[in-house]
Amino acid sequence: PAAATWTRSEATTQRDAARHDATRRDVSKPSIMDYKGQVYNEYAYQLIFALFGIVCFALGYVQEDFGVTINGWIASLVVAGVVCVPDWPVFNREPVKWHGKATTATRALTLDELENDTKETKKARVRNALRRAK
């Protein structure tokens, strides 16, 4: 018998390509939490733990059941995880502004070249560096 060959249909290939595009992250949008967002995230984390801790400790004390306190603490972990772990847009309101492309010299200048430079060659060197930076 002839060896069976497996071929992918055009629809399967297009479907897989569409699925791949849908799961790929859009790098044009900022996806890293900014510095102030990190501070707000930490405040939210501490506030959630403090509120749940106080309320659940009081409930556990009143009911004389340490399990209520532990279950409340576990619930605070879940709530804090949902609120603080994902990179929500509220934490990206002030994205970091990065500097533009740095200009670098094509070669290092020697000390003699720097000492013997005229004003015109220094200006030409600056113009060339600015032109390369664009």
Side-chain angles (χ1 to χ4, degrees):
T5 58
W6 182 75
T7 58
R8 296 175 62 119
S9 69
E10 185 67 25
T12 304
T13 305
Q14 287 176 352
R15 185 187 70 227
D16 289 347
R19 185 180 302 145
H20 176 71
D21 288 341
T23 58
R24 191 171 19 185
R25 199 177 87 189
D26 185 9
V27 295
S28 66
K29 296 178 183 175
S31 63
I32 297 174
M33 191 179 300
D34 60 48
Y35 295 120
K36 286 193 177 182
Q38 291 176 10
V39 171
Y40 296 147
N41 194 332
E42 181 69 22
Y43 287 155
Y45 164 78
Q46 290 175 357
L47 184 68
I48 290 167
F49 270 101
L51 290 178
F52 270 79
I54 291 168
V55 170
C56 293
F57 178 78
L59 284 175
Y61 184 78
V62 168
Q63 294 180 3
E64 297 180 357
D65 186 7
F66 191 66
V68 172
T69 305
I70 295 298
N71 289 335
W73 181 73
I74 292 171
S76 73
L77 282 174
V78 172
V79 171
V82 169
V83 170
C84 299
V85 171
D87 191 21
W88 297 106
V90 72
F91 298 129
N92 292 324
R93 290 187 178 166
E94 299 177 30
V96 177
K97 293 171 182 64
W98 298 98
H99 294 289
K101 181 180 175 183
T103 59
T104 57
T106 54
R107 68 178 182 85
L109 298 175
T110 64
L111 190 56
D112 291 334
E113 288 175 322
L114 286 174
E115 289 174 352
N116 297 331
D117 257 354
T118 63
K119 200 172 193 178
E120 289 77 27
T121 56
K122 288 180 184 177
K123 286 182 181 179
R125 208 173 270 129
V126 169
R127 269 189 309 239
N128 289 336
L130 291 174
R131 197 174 304 129
R132 279 194 306 265
K134 290 182 181 178

